[in-house]
Amino acid sequence: MRKLIIKCLLVILSLNLSLLSLGGLVKADAGSFYQMKARSAYAIDAESGQVLYEKNAQKTYPVASVTKILTLAVIEQDIRAHKLSWDQKITASPAVAQMANDPRCSNVQLNAGEKYTVKQLVESMMLVSADGSTEALALADAGSTAAFNKKMQAVAHKAGVDDAKIYNMVGLPNSYMGAHALKGVDKDAENLFSAKDIALISKYLIEKYPETLQITSTKFADFDVSADHKEHMTNINSLLPQNGAAPKDWQIDGLKTGNTDEAGKCIVSTGTYAGRRVIVVALHTDGDWNDQSKMQKEFYEALSNGYQPVALNSIKAFPKKLQQRHVVHAKKQHSTGLVLTKKTAIWLPKNTSWAQTSPQLQLAKKHQSMTGQLEAPLTKGEQVSWIKLQPAGMPEAKVPVQVTKTIQKTFF
């Protein structure tokens, strides 16, 4: 009996060590409409921000070339600011050419001393994940890895991300950066982001620079290595329309994959269905590239087969108890109406009513009195609460609500 107990304890210890080796305990996704075979995952509706799926989504992990989504956001920002231009030519330095021709890296060939346009380099970065092209862009933009890292951190902050650790623009271990590696940093250091971080950065990039999708949806492009040498690039995103893993009824138009030994195979994809854009992030997925693409295809199809985006134009869609005017705590008892902060749409299981999502009103802490009422001062149009919903098979959703009148604070 004692031997049996010891064996059981060893099995349990082995399972725990396996989970820890993945970078921490994995948050279970039991009860979700789909289970992603990945260490970490996060999916959102890009317009409403509704979380459609999450699994261990807020812990940071290496993300490999998925980093280039943020790199592109910096480049797009500086093109808008006229610090760079699409037609600007960048000369490949010997160090950049060395990375571009390193067999360990994802690349198109670059020749030292040859000039390449920003557009060429961006296309190769996003279509075939060219590491040398990425380095060339960042160094031309900021002058050094450290300087470009600061720009990346600033843009990540604009996207709502403050916990990322950034060591380079490519997503490779620090030692792979050669002459442009950070000094005093471990050679194995890699960029660390959470799946949620990557989704927020992707959302920011698409909203702020929608022209990005014209690049990431391009299936083929030619890259002029030199006057007499041209490379034909094929977009590695197999989810694009008419490709082998294209999900039925969806129009996928981005975004990026990545792979290192520590990060494993990572993927960020985005596409539209019924007028709604969805962003899906999966880090360290199981299996090979085909398995990864198949998983994403299955996710999109499971979402559209079982759910639909339902327009929400007024608070009147909810039960009457949530439509009532709520008392504001002040010297005199006032009341104010509540309205939706904006019209939106929420993904609900097909043939499901709003009442079946168990809607509840949640007041913002700063506006909630000890008695649970709204407390003045309140400003017309100010967001003061949320309606919480629980769509079956999905995480809790929140719909922001604002007040319809201004009420000043009064004292007893």
PDB file of all heavy atoms in Angstrom, residues 21-22 37-40 61-67 106 171-173 190-192 256-268 282-289 292:
ATOM      1  N   SER A  21       7.223  23.434 -16.169  1.00  0.00           N
ATOM      2  CA  SER A  21       8.177  23.566 -17.271  1.00  0.00           C
ATOM      3  C   SER A  21       7.613  24.369 -18.415  1.00  0.00           C
ATOM      4  O   SER A  21       8.332  24.880 -19.251  1.00  0.00           O
ATOM      5  CB  SER A  21       8.582  22.174 -17.781  1.00  0.00           C
ATOM      6  OG  SER A  21       7.510  21.573 -18.471  1.00  0.00           O
ATOM      7  N   LEU A  22       6.284  24.526 -18.456  1.00  0.00           N
ATOM      8  CA  LEU A  22       5.665  25.351 -19.482  1.00  0.00           C
ATOM      9  C   LEU A  22       5.605  26.813 -19.061  1.00  0.00           C
ATOM     10  O   LEU A  22       5.002  27.640 -19.713  1.00  0.00           O
ATOM     11  CB  LEU A  22       4.240  24.849 -19.764  1.00  0.00           C
ATOM     12  CG  LEU A  22       4.146  23.494 -20.459  1.00  0.00           C
ATOM     13  CD1 LEU A  22       2.688  23.098 -20.621  1.00  0.00           C
ATOM     14  CD2 LEU A  22       4.843  23.504 -21.794  1.00  0.00           C
ATOM     15  N   LYS A  37      -5.050  23.976 -28.006  1.00  0.00           N
ATOM     16  CA  LYS A  37      -3.880  23.227 -27.580  1.00  0.00           C
ATOM     17  C   LYS A  37      -2.674  24.144 -27.647  1.00  0.00           C
ATOM     18  O   LYS A  37      -1.880  24.118 -28.589  1.00  0.00           O
ATOM     19  CB  LYS A  37      -3.704  21.989 -28.457  1.00  0.00           C
ATOM     20  CG  LYS A  37      -4.840  20.982 -28.304  1.00  0.00           C
ATOM     21  CD  LYS A  37      -4.652  19.788 -29.215  1.00  0.00           C
ATOM     22  CE  LYS A  37      -5.807  18.804 -29.059  1.00  0.00           C
ATOM     23  NZ  LYS A  37      -5.668  17.634 -29.967  1.00  0.00           N
ATOM     24  N   ALA A  38      -2.579  24.984 -26.618  1.00  0.00           N
ATOM     25  CA  ALA A  38      -1.518  25.980 -26.552  1.00  0.00           C
ATOM     26  C   ALA A  38      -1.242  26.276 -25.094  1.00  0.00           C
ATOM     27  O   ALA A  38      -2.089  26.079 -24.223  1.00  0.00           O
ATOM     28  CB  ALA A  38      -1.945  27.264 -27.274  1.00  0.00           C
ATOM     29  N   ARG A  39      -0.032  26.760 -24.825  1.00  0.00           N
ATOM     30  CA  ARG A  39       0.323  27.122 -23.458  1.00  0.00           C
ATOM     31  C   ARG A  39      -0.499  28.314 -22.978  1.00  0.00           C
ATOM     32  O   ARG A  39      -0.886  28.394 -21.815  1.00  0.00           O
ATOM     33  CB  ARG A  39       1.816  27.460 -23.408  1.00  0.00           C
ATOM     34  CG  ARG A  39       2.282  28.009 -22.074  1.00  0.00           C
ATOM     35  CD  ARG A  39       3.795  27.969 -21.926  1.00  0.00           C
ATOM     36  NE  ARG A  39       4.499  28.695 -22.971  1.00  0.00           N
ATOM     37  CZ  ARG A  39       5.833  28.731 -23.056  1.00  0.00           C
ATOM     38  NH1 ARG A  39       6.563  28.052 -22.195  1.00  0.00           N
ATOM     39  NH2 ARG A  39       6.420  29.413 -24.015  1.00  0.00           N
ATOM     40  N   SER A  40      -0.775  29.217 -23.892  1.00  0.00           N
ATOM     41  CA  SER A  40      -1.485  30.444 -23.549  1.00  0.00           C
ATOM     42  C   SER A  40      -2.255  30.912 -24.769  1.00  0.00           C
ATOM     43  O   SER A  40      -1.774  30.773 -25.900  1.00  0.00           O
ATOM     44  CB  SER A  40      -0.471  31.513 -23.118  1.00  0.00           C
ATOM     45  OG  SER A  40      -1.084  32.762 -22.900  1.00  0.00           O
ATOM     46  N   TYR A  61       5.319  35.284 -21.671  1.00  0.00           N
ATOM     47  CA  TYR A  61       6.126  34.203 -22.241  1.00  0.00           C
ATOM     48  C   TYR A  61       6.919  34.739 -23.428  1.00  0.00           C
ATOM     49  O   TYR A  61       6.573  35.773 -23.997  1.00  0.00           O
ATOM     50  CB  TYR A  61       5.221  33.073 -22.750  1.00  0.00           C
ATOM     51  CG  TYR A  61       4.439  32.351 -21.689  1.00  0.00           C
ATOM     52  CD1 TYR A  61       3.056  32.538 -21.579  1.00  0.00           C
ATOM     53  CD2 TYR A  61       5.063  31.471 -20.805  1.00  0.00           C
ATOM     54  CE1 TYR A  61       2.328  31.867 -20.607  1.00  0.00           C
ATOM     55  CE2 TYR A  61       4.341  30.796 -19.846  1.00  0.00           C
ATOM     56  CZ  TYR A  61       2.975  30.990 -19.741  1.00  0.00           C
ATOM     57  OH  TYR A  61       2.255  30.328 -18.788  1.00  0.00           O
ATOM     58  N   PRO A  62       7.960  34.018 -23.864  1.00  0.00           N
ATOM     59  CA  PRO A  62       8.612  34.372 -25.131  1.00  0.00           C
ATOM     60  C   PRO A  62       7.621  34.246 -26.280  1.00  0.00           C
ATOM     61  O   PRO A  62       6.790  33.329 -26.286  1.00  0.00           O
ATOM     62  CB  PRO A  62       9.729  33.328 -25.252  1.00  0.00           C
ATOM     63  CG  PRO A  62       9.958  32.827 -23.859  1.00  0.00           C
ATOM     64  CD  PRO A  62       8.622  32.882 -23.197  1.00  0.00           C
ATOM     65  N   VAL A  63       7.704  35.156 -27.254  1.00  0.00           N
ATOM     66  CA  VAL A  63       6.739  35.162 -28.358  1.00  0.00           C
ATOM     67  C   VAL A  63       7.406  35.114 -29.731  1.00  0.00           C
ATOM     68  O   VAL A  63       6.717  35.172 -30.751  1.00  0.00           O
ATOM     69  CB  VAL A  63       5.804  36.393 -28.283  1.00  0.00           C
ATOM     70  CG1 VAL A  63       4.995  36.370 -27.005  1.00  0.00           C
ATOM     71  CG2 VAL A  63       6.601  37.689 -28.415  1.00  0.00           C
ATOM     72  N   ALA A  64       8.735  35.043 -29.760  1.00  0.00           N
ATOM     73  CA  ALA A  64       9.463  34.916 -31.026  1.00  0.00           C
ATOM     74  C   ALA A  64       9.088  36.042 -31.997  1.00  0.00           C
ATOM     75  O   ALA A  64       8.931  37.197 -31.595  1.00  0.00           O
ATOM     76  CB  ALA A  64       9.219  33.533 -31.632  1.00  0.00           C
ATOM     77  N   SER A  65       8.882  35.704 -33.275  1.00  0.00           N
ATOM     78  CA  SER A  65       8.668  36.718 -34.316  1.00  0.00           C
ATOM     79  C   SER A  65       7.307  37.395 -34.267  1.00  0.00           C
ATOM     80  O   SER A  65       7.067  38.338 -35.029  1.00  0.00           O
ATOM     81  CB  SER A  65       8.877  36.095 -35.703  1.00  0.00           C
ATOM     82  OG  SER A  65      10.236  35.898 -35.955  1.00  0.00           O
ATOM     83  N   VAL A  66       6.445  36.955 -33.375  1.00  0.00           N
ATOM     84  CA  VAL A  66       5.202  37.691 -33.141  1.00  0.00           C
ATOM     85  C   VAL A  66       5.536  39.119 -32.706  1.00  0.00           C
ATOM     86  O   VAL A  66       4.761  40.055 -32.903  1.00  0.00           O
ATOM     87  CB  VAL A  66       4.340  36.950 -32.089  1.00  0.00           C
ATOM     88  CG1 VAL A  66       3.249  37.836 -31.524  1.00  0.00           C
ATOM     89  CG2 VAL A  66       3.743  35.684 -32.713  1.00  0.00           C
ATOM     90  N   THR A  67       6.732  39.290 -32.156  1.00  0.00           N
ATOM     91  CA  THR A  67       7.256  40.621 -31.796  1.00  0.00           C
ATOM     92  C   THR A  67       7.121  41.610 -32.952  1.00  0.00           C
ATOM     93  O   THR A  67       6.923  42.818 -32.734  1.00  0.00           O
ATOM     94  CB  THR A  67       8.746  40.494 -31.420  1.00  0.00           C
ATOM     95  OG1 THR A  67       8.875  39.691 -30.251  1.00  0.00           O
ATOM     96  CG2 THR A  67       9.372  41.857 -31.187  1.00  0.00           C
ATOM     97  N   SER A 106      14.932  33.428 -40.028  1.00  0.00           N
ATOM     98  CA  SER A 106      13.955  33.489 -41.123  1.00  0.00           C
ATOM     99  C   SER A 106      14.317  34.680 -41.996  1.00  0.00           C
ATOM    100  O   SER A 106      14.381  35.794 -41.505  1.00  0.00           O
ATOM    101  CB  SER A 106      12.544  33.687 -40.557  1.00  0.00           C
ATOM    102  OG  SER A 106      12.209  32.639 -39.685  1.00  0.00           O
ATOM    103  N   GLY A 171      12.662  39.385 -32.028  1.00  0.00           N
ATOM    104  CA  GLY A 171      12.042  38.311 -31.255  1.00  0.00           C
ATOM    105  C   GLY A 171      12.967  37.133 -31.037  1.00  0.00           C
ATOM    106  O   GLY A 171      12.570  36.116 -30.479  1.00  0.00           O
ATOM    107  N   LEU A 172      14.233  37.267 -31.461  1.00  0.00           N
ATOM    108  CA  LEU A 172      15.223  36.207 -31.289  1.00  0.00           C
ATOM    109  C   LEU A 172      15.924  36.343 -29.931  1.00  0.00           C
ATOM    110  O   LEU A 172      15.896  37.413 -29.311  1.00  0.00           O
ATOM    111  CB  LEU A 172      16.268  36.296 -32.403  1.00  0.00           C
ATOM    112  CG  LEU A 172      15.805  35.913 -33.810  1.00  0.00           C
ATOM    113  CD1 LEU A 172      16.878  36.293 -34.824  1.00  0.00           C
ATOM    114  CD2 LEU A 172      15.489  34.430 -33.895  1.00  0.00           C
ATOM    115  N   PRO A 173      16.584  35.277 -29.468  1.00  0.00           N
ATOM    116  CA  PRO A 173      17.427  35.413 -28.282  1.00  0.00           C
ATOM    117  C   PRO A 173      18.485  36.492 -28.494  1.00  0.00           C
ATOM    118  O   PRO A 173      18.946  36.714 -29.622  1.00  0.00           O
ATOM    119  CB  PRO A 173      18.066  34.022 -28.145  1.00  0.00           C
ATOM    120  CG  PRO A 173      17.122  33.086 -28.838  1.00  0.00           C
ATOM    121  CD  PRO A 173      16.546  33.887 -29.976  1.00  0.00           C
ATOM    122  N   GLU A 190      14.913  36.622 -24.191  1.00  0.00           N
ATOM    123  CA  GLU A 190      13.956  36.810 -25.284  1.00  0.00           C
ATOM    124  C   GLU A 190      12.834  37.737 -24.825  1.00  0.00           C
ATOM    125  O   GLU A 190      12.533  37.825 -23.637  1.00  0.00           O
ATOM    126  CB  GLU A 190      13.347  35.469 -25.721  1.00  0.00           C
ATOM    127  CG  GLU A 190      14.326  34.535 -26.391  1.00  0.00           C
ATOM    128  CD  GLU A 190      13.638  33.319 -27.014  1.00  0.00           C
ATOM    129  OE1 GLU A 190      12.521  33.476 -27.561  1.00  0.00           O
ATOM    130  OE2 GLU A 190      14.211  32.216 -26.951  1.00  0.00           O
ATOM    131  N   ASN A 191      12.209  38.407 -25.776  1.00  0.00           N
ATOM    132  CA  ASN A 191      11.076  39.276 -25.474  1.00  0.00           C
ATOM    133  C   ASN A 191       9.976  38.474 -24.791  1.00  0.00           C
ATOM    134  O   ASN A 191       9.669  37.351 -25.188  1.00  0.00           O
ATOM    135  CB  ASN A 191      10.516  39.890 -26.756  1.00  0.00           C
ATOM    136  CG  ASN A 191      11.535  40.728 -27.490  1.00  0.00           C
ATOM    137  OD1 ASN A 191      12.502  41.199 -26.913  1.00  0.00           O
ATOM    138  ND2 ASN A 191      11.318  40.928 -28.783  1.00  0.00           N
ATOM    139  N   LEU A 192       9.362  39.083 -23.782  1.00  0.00           N
ATOM    140  CA  LEU A 192       8.295  38.429 -23.028  1.00  0.00           C
ATOM    141  C   LEU A 192       7.017  39.260 -23.091  1.00  0.00           C
ATOM    142  O   LEU A 192       7.008  40.439 -22.719  1.00  0.00           O
ATOM    143  CB  LEU A 192       8.710  38.238 -21.571  1.00  0.00           C
ATOM    144  CG  LEU A 192       9.965  37.392 -21.300  1.00  0.00           C
ATOM    145  CD1 LEU A 192      10.304  37.406 -19.816  1.00  0.00           C
ATOM    146  CD2 LEU A 192       9.770  35.965 -21.794  1.00  0.00           C
ATOM    147  N   LYS A 256       0.527  37.227 -38.017  1.00  0.00           N
ATOM    148  CA  LYS A 256       1.949  36.903 -37.858  1.00  0.00           C
ATOM    149  C   LYS A 256       2.128  35.596 -37.098  1.00  0.00           C
ATOM    150  O   LYS A 256       1.348  35.273 -36.218  1.00  0.00           O
ATOM    151  CB  LYS A 256       2.647  38.036 -37.081  1.00  0.00           C
ATOM    152  CG  LYS A 256       4.164  37.942 -37.096  1.00  0.00           C
ATOM    153  CD  LYS A 256       4.722  38.297 -38.451  1.00  0.00           C
ATOM    154  CE  LYS A 256       6.196  37.940 -38.583  1.00  0.00           C
ATOM    155  NZ  LYS A 256       6.451  36.494 -38.595  1.00  0.00           N
ATOM    156  N   THR A 257       3.193  34.881 -37.462  1.00  0.00           N
ATOM    157  CA  THR A 257       3.591  33.687 -36.716  1.00  0.00           C
ATOM    158  C   THR A 257       4.976  33.905 -36.127  1.00  0.00           C
ATOM    159  O   THR A 257       5.646  34.890 -36.433  1.00  0.00           O
ATOM    160  CB  THR A 257       3.634  32.441 -37.624  1.00  0.00           C
ATOM    161  OG1 THR A 257       4.573  32.675 -38.679  1.00  0.00           O
ATOM    162  CG2 THR A 257       2.262  32.146 -38.221  1.00  0.00           C
ATOM    163  N   GLY A 258       5.410  32.967 -35.288  1.00  0.00           N
ATOM    164  CA  GLY A 258       6.748  33.047 -34.715  1.00  0.00           C
ATOM    165  C   GLY A 258       7.177  31.700 -34.173  1.00  0.00           C
ATOM    166  O   GLY A 258       6.336  30.860 -33.869  1.00  0.00           O
ATOM    167  N   ASN A 259       8.502  31.529 -34.037  1.00  0.00           N
ATOM    168  CA  ASN A 259       9.004  30.261 -33.525  1.00  0.00           C
ATOM    169  C   ASN A 259      10.443  30.392 -33.050  1.00  0.00           C
ATOM    170  O   ASN A 259      11.308  30.867 -33.790  1.00  0.00           O
ATOM    171  CB  ASN A 259       8.935  29.183 -34.622  1.00  0.00           C
ATOM    172  CG  ASN A 259       9.451  27.842 -34.151  1.00  0.00           C
ATOM    173  OD1 ASN A 259       9.185  27.431 -33.035  1.00  0.00           O
ATOM    174  ND2 ASN A 259      10.197  27.160 -35.002  1.00  0.00           N
ATOM    175  N   THR A 260      10.696  30.050 -31.793  1.00  0.00           N
ATOM    176  CA  THR A 260      12.042  29.812 -31.270  1.00  0.00           C
ATOM    177  C   THR A 260      11.930  28.588 -30.360  1.00  0.00           C
ATOM    178  O   THR A 260      10.819  28.127 -30.057  1.00  0.00           O
ATOM    179  CB  THR A 260      12.592  30.998 -30.443  1.00  0.00           C
ATOM    180  OG1 THR A 260      11.780  31.179 -29.270  1.00  0.00           O
ATOM    181  CG2 THR A 260      12.633  32.280 -31.251  1.00  0.00           C
ATOM    182  N   ASP A 261      13.072  28.087 -29.907  1.00  0.00           N
ATOM    183  CA  ASP A 261      13.031  26.919 -29.028  1.00  0.00           C
ATOM    184  C   ASP A 261      12.240  27.215 -27.758  1.00  0.00           C
ATOM    185  O   ASP A 261      11.457  26.375 -27.293  1.00  0.00           O
ATOM    186  CB  ASP A 261      14.459  26.488 -28.660  1.00  0.00           C
ATOM    187  CG  ASP A 261      15.205  25.897 -29.849  1.00  0.00           C
ATOM    188  OD1 ASP A 261      14.543  25.516 -30.829  1.00  0.00           O
ATOM    189  OD2 ASP A 261      16.452  25.829 -29.783  1.00  0.00           O
ATOM    190  N   GLU A 262      12.436  28.388 -27.176  1.00  0.00           N
ATOM    191  CA  GLU A 262      11.757  28.737 -25.931  1.00  0.00           C
ATOM    192  C   GLU A 262      10.293  29.132 -26.155  1.00  0.00           C
ATOM    193  O   GLU A 262       9.414  28.775 -25.379  1.00  0.00           O
ATOM    194  CB  GLU A 262      12.480  29.891 -25.223  1.00  0.00           C
ATOM    195  CG  GLU A 262      13.771  29.489 -24.551  1.00  0.00           C
ATOM    196  CD  GLU A 262      13.575  28.460 -23.455  1.00  0.00           C
ATOM    197  OE1 GLU A 262      12.650  28.621 -22.638  1.00  0.00           O
ATOM    198  OE2 GLU A 262      14.340  27.472 -23.423  1.00  0.00           O
ATOM    199  N   ALA A 263      10.037  29.871 -27.217  1.00  0.00           N
ATOM    200  CA  ALA A 263       8.667  30.345 -27.480  1.00  0.00           C
ATOM    201  C   ALA A 263       7.784  29.249 -28.054  1.00  0.00           C
ATOM    202  O   ALA A 263       6.559  29.283 -27.903  1.00  0.00           O
ATOM    203  CB  ALA A 263       8.704  31.533 -28.440  1.00  0.00           C
ATOM    204  N   GLY A 264       8.399  28.266 -28.708  1.00  0.00           N
ATOM    205  CA  GLY A 264       7.598  27.293 -29.435  1.00  0.00           C
ATOM    206  C   GLY A 264       6.944  27.957 -30.635  1.00  0.00           C
ATOM    207  O   GLY A 264       7.311  29.066 -31.031  1.00  0.00           O
ATOM    208  N   LYS A 265       5.971  27.300 -31.201  1.00  0.00           N
ATOM    209  CA  LYS A 265       5.260  27.853 -32.355  1.00  0.00           C
ATOM    210  C   LYS A 265       4.130  28.749 -31.866  1.00  0.00           C
ATOM    211  O   LYS A 265       3.252  28.313 -31.125  1.00  0.00           O
ATOM    212  CB  LYS A 265       4.734  26.723 -33.241  1.00  0.00           C
ATOM    213  CG  LYS A 265       5.860  25.950 -33.928  1.00  0.00           C
ATOM    214  CD  LYS A 265       5.338  24.792 -34.726  1.00  0.00           C
ATOM    215  CE  LYS A 265       6.499  24.107 -35.448  1.00  0.00           C
ATOM    216  NZ  LYS A 265       7.515  23.569 -34.491  1.00  0.00           N
ATOM    217  N   CYS A 266       4.156  30.007 -32.293  1.00  0.00           N
ATOM    218  CA  CYS A 266       3.168  31.010 -31.877  1.00  0.00           C
ATOM    219  C   CYS A 266       2.445  31.531 -33.115  1.00  0.00           C
ATOM    220  O   CYS A 266       3.011  31.572 -34.209  1.00  0.00           O
ATOM    221  CB  CYS A 266       3.855  32.176 -31.165  1.00  0.00           C
ATOM    222  SG  CYS A 266       4.839  31.692 -29.723  1.00  0.00           S
ATOM    223  N   ILE A 267       1.203  31.955 -32.915  1.00  0.00           N
ATOM    224  CA  ILE A 267       0.446  32.493 -34.051  1.00  0.00           C
ATOM    225  C   ILE A 267      -0.522  33.568 -33.578  1.00  0.00           C
ATOM    226  O   ILE A 267      -1.146  33.455 -32.521  1.00  0.00           O
ATOM    227  CB  ILE A 267      -0.320  31.366 -34.792  1.00  0.00           C
ATOM    228  CG1 ILE A 267      -1.016  31.922 -36.047  1.00  0.00           C
ATOM    229  CG2 ILE A 267      -1.304  30.660 -33.870  1.00  0.00           C
ATOM    230  CD1 ILE A 267      -1.569  30.848 -36.973  1.00  0.00           C
ATOM    231  N   VAL A 268      -0.614  34.615 -34.370  1.00  0.00           N
ATOM    232  CA  VAL A 268      -1.630  35.659 -34.204  1.00  0.00           C
ATOM    233  C   VAL A 268      -2.355  35.766 -35.536  1.00  0.00           C
ATOM    234  O   VAL A 268      -1.725  35.976 -36.572  1.00  0.00           O
ATOM    235  CB  VAL A 268      -1.006  37.024 -33.847  1.00  0.00           C
ATOM    236  CG1 VAL A 268      -2.100  38.056 -33.604  1.00  0.00           C
ATOM    237  CG2 VAL A 268      -0.097  36.901 -32.635  1.00  0.00           C
ATOM    238  N   ALA A 282      -2.349  32.603 -29.987  1.00  0.00           N
ATOM    239  CA  ALA A 282      -2.028  31.329 -29.351  1.00  0.00           C
ATOM    240  C   ALA A 282      -0.511  31.201 -29.256  1.00  0.00           C
ATOM    241  O   ALA A 282       0.186  31.311 -30.261  1.00  0.00           O
ATOM    242  CB  ALA A 282      -2.611  30.162 -30.142  1.00  0.00           C
ATOM    243  N   LEU A 283       0.001  30.997 -28.043  1.00  0.00           N
ATOM    244  CA  LEU A 283       1.439  30.919 -27.802  1.00  0.00           C
ATOM    245  C   LEU A 283       1.832  29.487 -27.449  1.00  0.00           C
ATOM    246  O   LEU A 283       1.153  28.832 -26.668  1.00  0.00           O
ATOM    247  CB  LEU A 283       1.842  31.860 -26.667  1.00  0.00           C
ATOM    248  CG  LEU A 283       1.435  33.337 -26.814  1.00  0.00           C
ATOM    249  CD1 LEU A 283       1.903  34.140 -25.610  1.00  0.00           C
ATOM    250  CD2 LEU A 283       1.965  33.939 -28.113  1.00  0.00           C
ATOM    251  N   HIS A 284       2.951  29.048 -28.024  1.00  0.00           N
ATOM    252  CA  HIS A 284       3.500  27.717 -27.774  1.00  0.00           C
ATOM    253  C   HIS A 284       2.440  26.644 -28.027  1.00  0.00           C
ATOM    254  O   HIS A 284       2.006  25.934 -27.121  1.00  0.00           O
ATOM    255  CB  HIS A 284       4.036  27.603 -26.343  1.00  0.00           C
ATOM    256  CG  HIS A 284       5.155  26.601 -26.209  1.00  0.00           C
ATOM    257  ND1 HIS A 284       4.996  25.267 -26.534  1.00  0.00           N
ATOM    258  CD2 HIS A 284       6.430  26.731 -25.794  1.00  0.00           C
ATOM    259  CE1 HIS A 284       6.133  24.623 -26.303  1.00  0.00           C
ATOM    260  NE2 HIS A 284       7.020  25.493 -25.862  1.00  0.00           N
ATOM    261  N   THR A 285       2.036  26.535 -29.265  1.00  0.00           N
ATOM    262  CA  THR A 285       0.994  25.585 -29.643  1.00  0.00           C
ATOM    263  C   THR A 285       1.568  24.174 -29.781  1.00  0.00           C
ATOM    264  O   THR A 285       2.765  23.987 -29.977  1.00  0.00           O
ATOM    265  CB  THR A 285       0.338  25.990 -30.974  1.00  0.00           C
ATOM    266  OG1 THR A 285       1.327  25.965 -32.013  1.00  0.00           O
ATOM    267  CG2 THR A 285      -0.267  27.380 -30.879  1.00  0.00           C
ATOM    268  N   ASP A 286       0.677  23.200 -29.683  1.00  0.00           N
ATOM    269  CA  ASP A 286       1.090  21.805 -29.829  1.00  0.00           C
ATOM    270  C   ASP A 286       1.270  21.446 -31.301  1.00  0.00           C
ATOM    271  O   ASP A 286       0.601  21.998 -32.182  1.00  0.00           O
ATOM    272  CB  ASP A 286       0.031  20.874 -29.229  1.00  0.00           C
ATOM    273  CG  ASP A 286      -0.017  20.963 -27.711  1.00  0.00           C
ATOM    274  OD1 ASP A 286       0.817  21.683 -27.129  1.00  0.00           O
ATOM    275  OD2 ASP A 286      -0.891  20.310 -27.110  1.00  0.00           O
ATOM    276  N   GLY A 287       2.149  20.476 -31.564  1.00  0.00           N
ATOM    277  CA  GLY A 287       2.283  19.951 -32.915  1.00  0.00           C
ATOM    278  C   GLY A 287       3.114  20.832 -33.829  1.00  0.00           C
ATOM    279  O   GLY A 287       3.873  21.694 -33.397  1.00  0.00           O
ATOM    280  N   ASP A 288       2.921  20.613 -35.148  1.00  0.00           N
ATOM    281  CA  ASP A 288       3.696  21.348 -36.142  1.00  0.00           C
ATOM    282  C   ASP A 288       2.887  22.524 -36.694  1.00  0.00           C
ATOM    283  O   ASP A 288       1.811  22.855 -36.189  1.00  0.00           O
ATOM    284  CB  ASP A 288       4.144  20.413 -37.275  1.00  0.00           C
ATOM    285  CG  ASP A 288       2.964  19.735 -37.987  1.00  0.00           C
ATOM    286  OD1 ASP A 288       1.823  20.235 -37.900  1.00  0.00           O
ATOM    287  OD2 ASP A 288       3.198  18.703 -38.645  1.00  0.00           O
ATOM    288  N   TRP A 289       3.434  23.156 -37.766  1.00  0.00           N
ATOM    289  CA  TRP A 289       2.763  24.329 -38.335  1.00  0.00           C
ATOM    290  C   TRP A 289       1.377  23.978 -38.868  1.00  0.00           C
ATOM    291  O   TRP A 289       0.433  24.767 -38.734  1.00  0.00           O
ATOM    292  CB  TRP A 289       3.608  24.919 -39.463  1.00  0.00           C
ATOM    293  CG  TRP A 289       4.891  25.536 -38.996  1.00  0.00           C
ATOM    294  CD1 TRP A 289       6.151  25.092 -39.246  1.00  0.00           C
ATOM    295  CD2 TRP A 289       5.045  26.714 -38.191  1.00  0.00           C
ATOM    296  NE1 TRP A 289       7.089  25.909 -38.654  1.00  0.00           N
ATOM    297  CE2 TRP A 289       6.438  26.917 -37.998  1.00  0.00           C
ATOM    298  CE3 TRP A 289       4.157  27.609 -37.615  1.00  0.00           C
ATOM    299  CZ2 TRP A 289       6.946  27.973 -37.252  1.00  0.00           C
ATOM    300  CZ3 TRP A 289       4.662  28.679 -36.878  1.00  0.00           C
ATOM    301  CH2 TRP A 289       6.031  28.844 -36.708  1.00  0.00           C
ATOM    302  N   GLN A 292      -1.005  23.811 -36.007  1.00  0.00           N
ATOM    303  CA  GLN A 292      -1.297  25.155 -35.518  1.00  0.00           C
ATOM    304  C   GLN A 292      -2.367  25.837 -36.374  1.00  0.00           C
ATOM    305  O   GLN A 292      -3.335  26.401 -35.860  1.00  0.00           O
ATOM    306  CB  GLN A 292      -0.016  25.982 -35.516  1.00  0.00           C
ATOM    307  CG  GLN A 292      -0.176  27.385 -34.942  1.00  0.00           C
ATOM    308  CD  GLN A 292       1.096  28.197 -35.092  1.00  0.00           C
ATOM    309  OE1 GLN A 292       1.490  28.522 -36.210  1.00  0.00           O
ATOM    310  NE2 GLN A 292       1.741  28.516 -33.999  1.00  0.00           N
TER     311      GLN A 292
END
